[in-house]
């Protein structure tokens, strides 16, 4: 079987509703209807989605549950400043190397965005159009959180968590990704470049063995995957995930 055929097979196999069961994408549906809440919950989930799932998923749940119990939803909790009362500050670590103070700064900047526009999507749409549509949306998002260490920075960085969030928001007709931001082309998305994706891409010869987790590598891999998933290269994220679950790709010929 050709590599192209196997990657399409794996994408079809794993891009299903059950993918969300143990994935941070489960938080995309924490709120069913209101777009501002869906976006905010999804963004918080994406920014904390690194490391061990068994560790970060409860941390995300704790924040959303605190918001719901206090204000009824995450958007209201942020906009009215209830997070300052309900979520403690301090230098103690909340998750990995991020402290409670780091989360407070993150909430403050996110609240500022929600108080300036009706939703994150509307805020970023305007910023992207003002900057020029040749600007990558990941850069707009990163620049919108100048004080928060939780949001990845740097144009040379792979910015994996931002690109995962964008996949959730932008990709259309998916049982996992929501496709709320129809104004941004899904062909512009970059594959979220985590350690697993890097390893599988290197094994398959899609990126160099000595490649680093950078934007350059993400662009290189995404360009290759656009040959397999034209106009929707980020769908390859599911296929590369499936390779690891299925124990690797063997007996394939080049794309």
């Amino acid at each position: 079987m050709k590599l192209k055929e196997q990657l399409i097979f794996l994408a079809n196999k794993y891009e299903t509703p059950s993918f969300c069961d143990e994935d941070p994408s489960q938080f995309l549906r924490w709120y069913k209807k209101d777009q501002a809440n869906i976006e905010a919950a999804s963004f918080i989930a994406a920014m904390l989605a690194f490391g061990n799932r068994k560790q970060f998923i409860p941390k995300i749940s704790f924040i959303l549950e605190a918001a719901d119990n206090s204000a009824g939803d995450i958007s209201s909790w942020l906009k009215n400043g209830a997070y300052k009362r309900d979520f403690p500050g301090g230098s103690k670590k909340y998750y990995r190397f991020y402290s409670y103070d780091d989360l407070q700064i993150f909430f403050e900047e996110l609240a500022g965005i929600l108080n300036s526009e009706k939703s994150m999507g509307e805020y970023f749409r305007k910023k992207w159009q003002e900057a020029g549509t040749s600007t990558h949306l990941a850069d707009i998002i990163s620049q919108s959180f100048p004080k928060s260490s939780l949001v990845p920075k740097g144009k040379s960085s792979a910015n994996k968590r931002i690109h995962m969030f964008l996949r959730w928001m932008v990709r259309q007709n998916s049982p996992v990704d929501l496709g709320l931001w129809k104004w941004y082309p899904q062909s512009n998305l970059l594959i979220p470049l985590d350690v697993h994706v890097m390893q599988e891409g290197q094994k398959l010869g899609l990126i160099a063995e000595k490649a680093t987790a950078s934007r350059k590598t993400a662009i290189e891999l995404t360009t290759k995957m656009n040959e397999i998933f034209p106009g929707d290269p980020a769908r390859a994220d599911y296929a590369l995930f499936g390779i690891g679950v299925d124990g690797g790709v063997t007996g394939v010929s080049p794309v």
Side-chain angles (χ1 to χ4, degrees), residues 4-55:
K4 177 178 180 178
E5 294 171 355
Q6 189 148 1
L7 289 176
I8 292 172
F9 169 80
L10 289 169
N12 290 336
K13 180 177 180 180
Y14 287 101
E15 190 185 5
T16 64
S18 63
F19 180 87
C20 301
D21 292 348
E22 297 180 2
D23 187 76
S25 56
Q26 64 188 263
F27 295 104
L28 275 61
R29 291 162 179 82
W30 189 281
Y31 300 99
K32 302 293 185 183
K33 296 179 180 179
D34 184 78
Q35 184 164 332
N37 280 312
I38 293 169
E39 292 170 351
S42 300
F43 191 67
I44 291 169
M47 294 305 103
L48 287 169
F50 65 96
N52 189 307
R53 292 184 181 191
K54 292 182 179 180
Q55 293 178 350

Side-chain angles (χ1 to χ4, degrees), residues 2-255:
K2 286 187 176 182
L3 177 58
K4 177 178 180 178
E5 294 171 355
Q6 189 148 1
L7 289 176
I8 292 172
F9 169 80
L10 289 169
N12 290 336
K13 180 177 180 180
Y14 287 101
E15 190 185 5
T16 64
S18 63
F19 180 87
C20 301
D21 292 348
E22 297 180 2
D23 187 76
S25 56
Q26 64 188 263
F27 295 104
L28 275 61
R29 291 162 179 82
W30 189 281
Y31 300 99
K32 302 293 185 183
K33 296 179 180 179
D34 184 78
Q35 184 164 332
N37 280 312
I38 293 169
E39 292 170 351
S42 300
F43 191 67
I44 291 169
M47 294 305 103
L48 287 169
F50 65 96
N52 189 307
R53 292 184 181 191
K54 292 182 179 180
Q55 293 178 350
F56 70 66
I57 284 178
K59 295 294 185 179
I60 299 166
S61 294
F62 178 83
I63 293 170
L64 299 184
E65 287 170 359
D68 287 355
N69 291 335
S70 173
D73 59 65
I74 189 67
S75 180
S76 299
W77 189 69
L78 291 165
K79 290 168 70 174
N80 66 25
Y83 65 89
K84 298 175 184 177
R85 178 193 66 226
D86 300 328
F87 195 87
S91 59
K92 181 180 177 181
K93 301 303 179 188
Y94 179 68
Y95 177 59
R96 299 286 288 270
F97 32 81
Y98 294 113
S99 68
Y100 282 85
D101 279 345
D102 291 330
L103 268 294
Q104 284 282 352
I105 292 169
F106 172 64
F107 293 150
E108 179 185 10
E109 292 194 309
L110 185 51
I113 288 172
L114 292 172
N115 278 315
S116 68
E117 294 290 347
K118 62 181 181 181
S119 69
M120 292 179 70
E122 185 64 12
Y123 178 89
F124 291 134
R125 181 187 66 80
K126 289 183 177 180
K127 288 290 185 182
W128 179 63
Q129 291 176 340
E130 289 170 3
T133 56
S134 61
T135 304
H136 200 284
L137 189 54
D139 294 332
I140 301 295
I141 293 174
S142 182
Q143 293 162 9
S144 298
F145 292 84
K147 296 187 294 182
S148 176
S149 59
L150 191 61
V151 180
K153 305 291 194 298
K155 290 189 176 183
S156 62
S157 170
N159 290 344
K160 174 255 179 180
R161 285 172 284 155
I162 292 180
H163 290 297
M164 180 173 67
F165 171 71
L166 285 175
R167 196 199 79 205
W168 292 346
M169 293 297 103
V170 173
R171 283 195 68 246
Q172 306 292 309
N173 304 314
S174 169
V176 179
D177 305 317
L178 297 178
L180 297 177
W181 297 359
K182 295 178 173 60
W183 46 269
Y184 191 74
Q186 66 180 19
S187 58
N188 285 7
L189 295 174
L190 295 182
I191 293 173
L193 200 63
D194 62 14
V195 173
H196 169 75
V197 168
M198 282 278 295
Q199 290 174 341
E200 299 303 336
Q202 288 166 334
K203 289 177 185 176
L204 295 171
L206 298 170
I207 54 177
E209 288 186 12
K210 295 184 179 180
T212 59
S214 64
R215 174 176 291 194
K216 180 181 177 182
T217 302
I219 291 173
E220 180 182 354
L221 181 60
T222 301
T223 300
K224 293 276 184 66
M225 292 299 94
N226 193 54
E227 298 173 11
I228 297 175
F229 303 100
D232 187 18
R235 189 167 190 241
D237 199 17
Y238 295 99
L240 294 169
F241 166 84
I243 291 173
V245 174
D246 279 15
V249 174
T250 59
V252 296
S253 56
V255 175

